[in-house]
Amino acid sequence: MYRWIGWLTRPERVRLLGRILVWIPRPFLLTLFSLVAHLFARFGGSIRHRVKENMSAILGTQAPVKHLHRQYFYQVCLTLYELLFVSSHLPKWGHKHFCPTGEEHLQSALQLGKGAIIYAPHVGNFFFAYWYLSQRYPCLAVVTAQSEELRPLYLIMQELGCEGVDYDETPPLKLLKQLRRQLAQNGVVFLLGDFSRPAFPTGRMFGRKTPLPRGAAALALDGKVPVIPFYCRRLRGFTHQLVFSAPLLLHEQYRKDQAAEAMEQLYSFLEETVRKVPEEWLYWFNVDERWTTEEHNPGEVS
């Protein structure tokens, strides 16, 4: 997937596509992307097989995997189009393409004066969701821009004023200090909790052990910071729903040395969200790479 994205985001191709797509009315673009997604789902080679197999392994044989994996490619097409060709219009559009639900949970959490952690999976156009948050609150995101293929997308959002600190390029102590400082100033920290690195501690998602970050619980327990489970999903076309859940006060349930136990609650939220909007989860193309740490137990729900 990253290889395809890298091919598409080369400056010369972005310029060429921009000159072509600008003449196509938006309703026709949706039809075009639906056709492209259909072609990917039929002739996408190894990536289409991998997405389909991963969906079947996690969602089960009763799920409409044939439809979902076609919708997955459709969502990827729409999101890339938005990032490359629509994002520059966000300041002019304002918030009219966003439908927040439960945002009062974040606002009430900030009244505690401890800051707030927005905890989310890579579902929907999470780039646009962070732009929305950055317009309304002092926000800092932890990003993973190590990949040269994805870096152009992060740079686009940076130009729009979305502040981020790169997990892969920032020394751990420096990263921790920046996040603590942001929270101490009653700011918002945006954490996407479902990315993986081999060195991460083990968590559990979909009945399997997998390396997952544990920083959200550690920050929350250390500073008594409320955690807001959050996700973004596409309602229709280029309109996005932002779903804020009630704050989790992990420090009232766990001790500071129980970050691993507290994270299990957050991992459950990630899994529930993916099952709720499976066609919009980014990592279907490589989630199987995380399962090498432990064989799946057939007795567990997947």
Side-chain angles (χ1 to χ4, degrees):
M1 178 66 76
Y2 289 158
R3 182 168 58 87
W4 284 102
I5 292 175
W7 181 88
L8 180 64
T9 56
R10 290 178 184 173
E12 65 275 13
R13 292 200 174 92
V14 172
R15 288 193 294 269
L16 175 61
L17 284 171
R19 288 196 292 267
I20 296 171
L21 295 177
V22 72
W23 296 103
I24 303 177
R26 287 248 163 84
F28 290 100
L29 278 174
L30 298 178
T31 302
L32 173 63
F33 294 146
S34 180
L35 175 61
V36 171
H38 178 75
L39 293 174
F40 257 104
R42 288 288 302 274
F43 309 108
S46 61
I47 189 171
R48 80 175 180 94
H49 289 294
R50 199 170 179 185
V51 168
K52 198 171 183 178
E53 288 172 3
N54 286 341
M55 283 185 167
S56 296
I58 288 176
L59 302 177
T61 56
Q62 301 302 312
V65 169
K66 184 176 180 180
H67 170 74
L68 288 174
H69 97 290
R70 185 169 63 247
Q71 284 296 306
Y72 169 77
F73 289 115
Y74 177 65
Q75 297 295 331
V76 169
C77 288
L78 279 180
T79 299
L80 286 173
Y81 172 77
E82 285 176 325
L83 289 169
L84 294 172
F85 305 110
V86 176
S87 55
S88 60
H89 300 293
L90 281 174
K92 180 177 64 177
W93 282 2
H95 300 156
K96 68 178 183 179
H97 285 269
F98 298 93
C99 299
T101 300
E103 189 173 354
E104 66 274 9
H105 292 310
L106 173 57
Q107 295 164 351
S108 66
L110 290 173
Q111 291 176 6
L112 300 175
K114 300 287 188 179
I117 296 170
I118 294 285
Y119 186 77
H122 286 76
V123 166
N125 191 335
F126 46 89
F127 288 95
F128 275 23
Y130 185 56
W131 179 86
Y132 174 91
L133 290 167
S134 295
Q135 300 306 296
R136 296 174 61 81
Y137 310 93
C139 280
L140 181 65
V142 175
V143 302
T144 53
Q146 180 185 40
S147 165
E148 289 301 318
E149 296 89 349
L150 296 182
R151 187 173 294 274
L153 305 179
Y154 287 103
L155 292 177
I156 288 172
M157 301 312 295
Q158 187 179 64
E159 290 175 4
L160 289 170
C162 297
E163 295 188 32
V165 55
D166 193 329
Y167 176 87
D168 296 302
E169 295 183 356
T170 307
L173 284 178
K174 183 179 178 181
L175 173 64
L176 183 60
K177 286 181 180 179
Q178 286 183 261
L179 298 180
R180 283 176 173 168
R181 187 183 310 119
Q182 177 75 4
L183 294 169
Q185 295 169 352
N186 204 31
V188 174
V189 167
F190 185 72
L191 298 180
L192 291 156
D194 56 347
F195 77 102
S196 184
R197 295 289 184 273
F200 281 168
T202 300
R204 184 173 291 275
M205 280 184 68
F206 308 116
R208 296 166 168 84
K209 284 190 175 180
T210 182
L212 289 166
R214 198 175 287 175
L219 277 172
L221 294 174
D222 182 60
K224 298 182 179 180
V225 180
V227 178
I228 311 294
F230 170 87
Y231 68 95
C232 174
R233 69 180 302 176
R234 193 179 300 279
L235 281 181
R236 59 190 175 279
F238 303 104
T239 301
H240 305 271
Q241 183 183 27
L242 310 178
V243 182
F244 301 79
S245 296
L248 299 176
L249 302 178
L250 298 178
H251 62 276
E252 295 183 355
Q253 305 173 57
Y254 305 96
R255 301 187 308 270
K256 285 187 178 181
D257 63 350
Q258 291 182 307
E261 291 84 348
M263 281 308 305
E264 291 303 319
Q265 188 173 349
L266 298 182
Y267 297 149
S268 294
F269 162 73
L270 296 177
E271 180 175 337
E272 289 167 8
T273 303
V274 171
R275 292 186 184 280
K276 194 177 297 182
V277 276
E279 69 277 13
E280 297 193 42
W281 190 45
L282 173 66
Y283 286 124
W284 287 118
F285 74 97
N286 70 350
V287 67
D288 54 302
E289 293 177 358
R290 309 176 182 193
W291 299 341
T292 57
T293 56
E294 180 186 86
E295 290 296 324
H296 178 49
N297 183 346
E300 295 172 326
V301 178
S302 65

